[in-house]
Amino acid sequence: MTISPSITTPAITIAARTPVATGVIALTLVPADGQDLPPWRPGAHVDVTLPSGLTRQYSLCGDPADRSSWRIAILLAQPSRGGSAWIHDHAREGVPLTVSAPRNLFTLEAAERYVFVAGGIGITPLLPMITEAERAGVPWTLWYGGRSRSSTAFTDELIQFGDRVHLVPRDTAGRIPITEVLDTPGAGTAVYCCGPESMIDAVQDACRDWEPGTVHVERFTPEAQEGTTAFDVHCARSGVDVRVEEGVSVLDALLEAGVEADYSCAQGFCGTCETRVVEGVPDHRDDYLDHSAAPDTMMICVSRSRCARLVLDL
Ligand code: FES
């Protein structure tokens, strides 16, 4: 297994663990040597490498001006692929963590006004954006949906902003009225959305008439593996045959069978697991490849097969 390349920060230790919603904990991370941490901007994430070698990416959700600590929040995934479960089970004050330097693929661009749209744990990259917008005196609104009020993280911090924050717990208020919220392209307005696939699709659809470059999204969750069917994978180089059951990713099936495969995000957006397809037709479900170009590679962490058997260059 190869872990994604990253600049390692000074040794990092957990200084505090705080429950912030049902199934969500926030960790305060500090440098063991007491020096300043590397700077970062809103939208940045860090890679956390667990003792198993698994790497998970978490948005920094504290104050970018605070160089003495970072904050990340971890939702216990159901089912967990091992990353969030390990953190929920083992992350305690004083525990060291391997954390990369911050990287930013979701930069907050200057705008005259912001509309933030968050779903669930997708609130995390938006919190520092709100902090920055506040400091800069730029008007903003937040629409924040979640399963229920109790599963909606950081509400204590957000209610101070009054009616600029619209909390939409699905069990009592339904879904965010995205079409209404974004029906009129706002001059100088930038939209930032982070949440599940369906929410991002709805935001992009609602903003199809907006100026290019005004809508910025970050996807957290891979396309669901539910409702999928099983298929076979043959590894051309190692000769290993693997059955990929429904609901199981190609990557997990390969690792389970002892096949060496590179990966990092395991969510279809980093490109680490790109694998050449020797035979068969992949069902692309990633956010990395240009699918219109009929790539001869696939992201094995999320993509599946359109035929009964795939042959991969592994
Ligand atoms: S591991 Fe990141 S795209 Fe597959």
Side-chain angles (χ1 to χ4, degrees):
M1 177 173 56
T2 299
I3 303 304
S4 62
S6 55
I7 306 161
T8 306
T9 56
I12 297 286
T13 305
I14 298 170
R17 168 191 172 122
T18 313
V20 288
T22 304
V24 184
I25 55 170
L27 300 180
T28 304
L29 309 177
V30 296
D33 63 4
Q35 301 292 307
D36 277 355
L37 287 165
W40 60 282
R41 298 288 318 282
H45 69 267
V46 291
D47 296 340
V48 175
T49 303
L50 305 177
S52 63
L54 216 55
T55 299
R56 287 291 176 262
Q57 288 158 337
Y58 296 105
S59 294
L60 293 174
C61 60
D63 182 349
D66 177 6
R67 299 282 300 276
S68 67
S69 69
W70 289 337
R71 182 173 70 166
I72 57 175
I74 300 97
L75 166 71
L76 180 60
Q78 299 289 354
S80 170
R81 297 162 52 90
S84 63
W86 188 92
I87 293 178
H88 274 248
D89 287 347
H90 297 93
R92 298 278 181 278
E93 191 179 325
V95 169
L97 275 187
T98 303
V99 183
S100 73
R103 289 186 289 166
N104 202 332
L105 306 172
F106 191 39
T107 315
L108 184 68
E109 308 286 352
E112 294 167 23
R113 179 175 170 267
Y114 296 110
V115 178
F116 299 117
V117 183
I121 198 67
I123 189 63
T124 49
L126 303 185
L127 288 174
M129 293 185 181
I130 288 170
T131 301
E132 182 149 313
E134 273 294 284
R135 285 206 176 112
V138 178
W140 58 271
T141 53
L142 168 69
W143 290 83
Y144 180 13
R147 273 199 322 278
S148 64
R149 179 69 184 243
S150 67
S151 69
T152 306
F154 301 110
T155 50
D156 291 354
E157 296 178 19
L158 291 167
I159 52 176
Q160 63 168 308
F161 296 116
D163 61 7
R164 284 182 287 170
V165 173
H166 304 268
L167 298 177
V168 189
R170 197 159 57 240
D171 58 347
T172 57
R175 294 182 186 275
I176 298 172
I178 287 173
T179 311
E180 292 160 40
V181 171
L182 299 170
D183 69 341
T184 311
T189 300
V191 177
Y192 281 79
C193 173
C194 184
E197 199 74 24
S198 56
M199 171 180 281
I200 287 174
D201 289 347
V203 165
Q204 289 181 319
D205 194 41
C207 295
R208 60 188 175 279
D209 295 330
W210 288 49
E211 284 290 314
T214 54
V215 181
H216 309 263
V217 302
E218 185 169 70
R219 297 166 196 266
F220 260 18
T221 46
E223 287 192 30
Q225 298 280 331
E226 296 101 39
T228 53
T229 52
F231 57 96
D232 293 311
V233 166
H234 175 68
C235 302
R237 278 188 279 138
S238 61
V240 175
D241 286 297
V242 174
R243 179 75 171 164
V244 181
E245 301 291 351
E246 65 181 84
V248 175
S249 70
V250 175
L251 174 65
D252 282 345
L254 291 170
L255 294 175
E256 183 69 29
V259 177
E260 293 253 326
D262 295 348
Y263 68 97
S264 175
C265 73
Q267 298 186 39
F269 61 77
C270 76
T272 306
C273 70
E274 183 169 10
T275 301
R276 194 168 71 85
V277 179
V278 179
E279 251 179 63
V281 183
D283 176 6
H284 295 292
R285 296 175 175 226
D286 61 277
D287 295 310
Y288 184 84
L289 292 169
D290 175 5
H291 303 153
S292 63
D296 64 355
T297 59
M298 67 182 283
M299 298 299 153
I300 57 172
C301 64
V302 290
S303 296
R304 300 189 67 81
S305 177
R306 293 193 183 281
C307 52
R309 183 172 181 263
L310 282 180
V311 180
L312 300 179
D313 185 23
L314 284 169

